[in-house]
């Protein structure tokens, strides 16, 4: 991106901060009943002056997260957005662990798409961070007709074994029996500790609002569900679904003049392996654009938010054009 565009973007961020003091975009929590009869929650943002005919951007979060991670991004974009809580995360129902599969996660997203007036029978920009990137890949492979642009934030397609989970001594049984509502903060902290989560990680979640006071009786709710981590590793990461879905996406989108794919990679502590990135590019060299953010950490939308937003805004505008270029 040119220096001129970055300067203009920084000026727009400043203007946005001023405007924000007067009127934030309307952020609305909502939910639908999915095809699996689960309540799937989401947060939508429609800026006051947004054109509802513009492409909507749909966000999918990663592990130990929820739609909350996209709040600042949603408030900063000038186009309509929707951020989903995957099953078991945020305020979405968890359901039966035996029914937790890649197809089930895709079906949950599809239920939101088919029920929401901004998404029904329309193409949209799909953004997935980390594990959400894997879910986004699965969705694009199964429903390519819905996609206007696919954005994968710091995730590759290689297989990851269950024992590669970075949390030491992760207690899967306790993760699967975790309750998100607790009588007090100490209770939820102790529950995470028994599963194996470091205390400083949980303290960070409290500061960020992933774990928060719920109601007037001092109870605490956790948007983070350890069972989501456990089952994503067992049913998605430790499988060949990444490669399979990516190959299917390549069949749909290779040499496409209508759909572009973007892989955004963290320069510090990325989870992507270069060999896997090379494989992703080799599948559709004329369709995919790869960008590395030298000072960005795994959560690019958090660590280098302004640059991420500038690029995402360009992706959205490009996807809106009759002849997308797909270049950053």
């Amino acid at each position: 991106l040119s220096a001129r565009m970055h300067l203009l973007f920084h000026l727009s961020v400043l203007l946005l901060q001023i405007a924000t003091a007067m009127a934030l975009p309307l952020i609305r929590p909502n939910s639908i009943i999915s095809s699996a009869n689960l309540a799937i929650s989401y947060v939508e943002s429609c800026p006051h002056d947004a054109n509802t005919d513009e492409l909507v951007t749909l966000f999918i979060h990663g592990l130990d997260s929820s739609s909350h991670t996209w709040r600042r991004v949603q408030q900063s974009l000038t186009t309509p957005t929707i951020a989903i809580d995957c099953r078991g995360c945020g305020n979405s129902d968890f359901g039966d662990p035996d029914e937790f599969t890649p197809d089930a996660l895709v079906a949950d997203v599809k239920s939101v798409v088919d029920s929401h007036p901004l998404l029904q029978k329309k193409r949209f920009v799909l953004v997935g961070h980390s594990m959400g990137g894997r879910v986004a890949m699965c969705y694009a492979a199964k429903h390519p007709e819905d996609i206007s642009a696919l954005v994968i934030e710091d995730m590759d397609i290689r297989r990851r074994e269950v024992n590669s989970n970075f949390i030491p001594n992760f207690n899967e049984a306790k993760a699967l029996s975790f309750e998100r509502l607790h009588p007090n903060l100490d209770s939820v902290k102790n529950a995470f500790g028994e599963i194996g989560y470091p205390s400083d990680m949980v303290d960070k979640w409290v500061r960020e609002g992933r774990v928060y006071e719920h109601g007037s009786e001092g109870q605490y709710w956790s948007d983070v569900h350890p069972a989501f981590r456990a089952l994503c590793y067992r049913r998605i990461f430790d499988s060949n679904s990444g490669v399979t879905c990516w190959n299917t996406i390549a069949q749909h989108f290779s040499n496409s003049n209508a759909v572009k794919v973007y892989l955004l990679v963290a320069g510090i502590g990325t989870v992507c392996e270069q060999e896997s990135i090379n494989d992703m590019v080799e599948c559709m060299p004329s369709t995919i654009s790869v960008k590395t953010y030298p000072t960005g950490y795994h959560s690019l939308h958090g660590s280098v938010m302004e640059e991420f937003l500038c690029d995402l805004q360009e992706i959205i505008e490009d996807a809106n054009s009759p002849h997308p270029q797909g270049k950053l």
Side-chain angles (χ1 to χ4, degrees):
L1 294 175
S2 68
R4 178 184 173 87
M5 284 197 66
H6 277 291
L7 177 60
L8 290 173
F9 180 75
H10 292 317
L11 288 173
S12 70
V13 169
L14 178 60
L15 291 172
L16 176 66
Q17 290 171 341
I18 295 171
T20 295
M22 297 183 290
L24 283 171
L26 184 59
I27 297 286
R28 290 193 296 258
N30 212 328
S31 66
I32 56 96
I33 301 300
S34 72
S35 57
N37 202 32
L38 299 179
I40 300 298
S41 58
Y42 61 89
V43 175
E44 64 179 89
S45 172
C46 192
H48 301 290
D49 58 350
N51 180 354
T52 55
D53 291 330
E54 289 184 294
L55 287 176
V56 176
T57 303
L58 181 63
F59 294 101
I60 306 177
H61 63 81
L63 299 177
D64 301 331
S65 191
S66 71
S67 60
H68 183 271
T69 190
W70 301 111
R71 187 62 57 90
R72 290 177 62 205
V73 174
Q74 289 185 276
Q75 289 177 333
S76 299
L77 289 173
T78 59
T79 50
T81 63
I82 294 173
I84 289 177
D85 286 327
C86 293
R87 61 169 62 192
C89 305
N91 289 297
S92 289
D93 290 344
F94 180 47
D96 186 343
D98 291 337
E99 297 175 358
F100 190 102
T101 64
D103 284 346
L105 293 174
V106 168
D108 293 341
V109 177
K110 185 62 173 171
S111 292
V112 174
V113 169
D114 288 345
S115 66
H116 200 288
L118 290 177
L119 294 169
Q120 288 171 336
K121 300 179 181 179
K122 299 177 182 177
R123 295 195 304 150
F124 53 85
V125 177
L126 181 59
V127 181
H129 171 237
S130 194
M131 171 54 69
R134 283 292 184 91
V135 177
M137 293 178 202
C138 293
Y139 187 94
K142 191 161 188 177
H143 302 289
E145 70 283 356
D146 290 347
I147 308 301
S148 180
L150 176 63
V151 184
I152 305 300
E153 181 186 349
D154 209 48
M155 177 49 60
D156 58 17
I157 58 175
R158 65 186 172 90
R159 184 173 191 152
R160 290 167 167 81
E161 296 182 355
V162 171
N163 59 14
S164 69
N165 188 341
F166 81 93
I167 296 176
N169 304 314
F170 186 80
N171 189 320
E172 186 171 314
K174 289 193 174 182
L176 292 173
S177 62
F178 180 83
E179 296 291 341
R180 282 179 283 172
L181 184 62
H182 287 256
N184 52 57
L185 183 56
D186 285 341
S187 173
V188 70
K189 285 184 175 182
N190 290 337
F192 277 119
E194 291 176 356
I195 293 167
Y197 285 93
S199 59
D200 59 343
M201 180 181 288
V202 180
D203 289 338
K204 181 172 178 284
W205 294 344
V206 175
R207 292 194 300 272
E208 293 174 343
R210 302 191 206 188
V211 176
Y212 51 90
E213 193 166 359
H214 180 80
S216 59
E217 298 180 1
Q219 294 178 307
Y220 271 76
W221 179 267
S222 173
D223 279 354
V224 176
H225 201 320
F228 183 75
R229 167 178 286 276
L231 293 174
C232 280
Y233 261 91
R234 191 163 291 282
R235 309 275 173 80
I236 301 177
F237 271 152
D238 199 357
S239 73
N240 293 320
S241 65
V243 173
T244 301
C245 288
W246 197 256
N247 287 336
T248 303
I249 291 170
Q251 292 174 13
H252 291 308
F253 297 155
S254 285
N255 302 315
S256 171
N257 293 322
V259 180
K260 299 301 178 183
V261 178
Y262 303 84
L263 175 60
L264 311 182
V265 182
I268 303 172
T270 181
V271 302
C272 301
E273 287 189 353
Q274 189 59 51
E275 183 178 354
S276 187
I277 293 174
N278 294 342
D279 291 341
M280 295 170 78
V281 173
E282 186 178 345
C283 284
M284 43 181 152
S286 63
T287 303
I288 190 171
S289 178
V290 180
K291 177 175 178 177
T292 298
Y293 297 72
T295 61
Y297 291 85
H298 178 53
S299 174
L300 295 170
H301 64 274
S303 59
V304 285
M305 180 181 171
E306 288 190 6
E307 187 176 3
F308 175 87
L309 277 171
C310 185
D311 290 340
L312 182 56
Q313 190 70 58
E314 185 173 343
I315 289 169
I316 295 167
E317 291 172 0
D318 188 57
N320 262 316
S321 70
H323 304 289
Q325 299 301 306
K327 302 298 180 184
L328 290 175

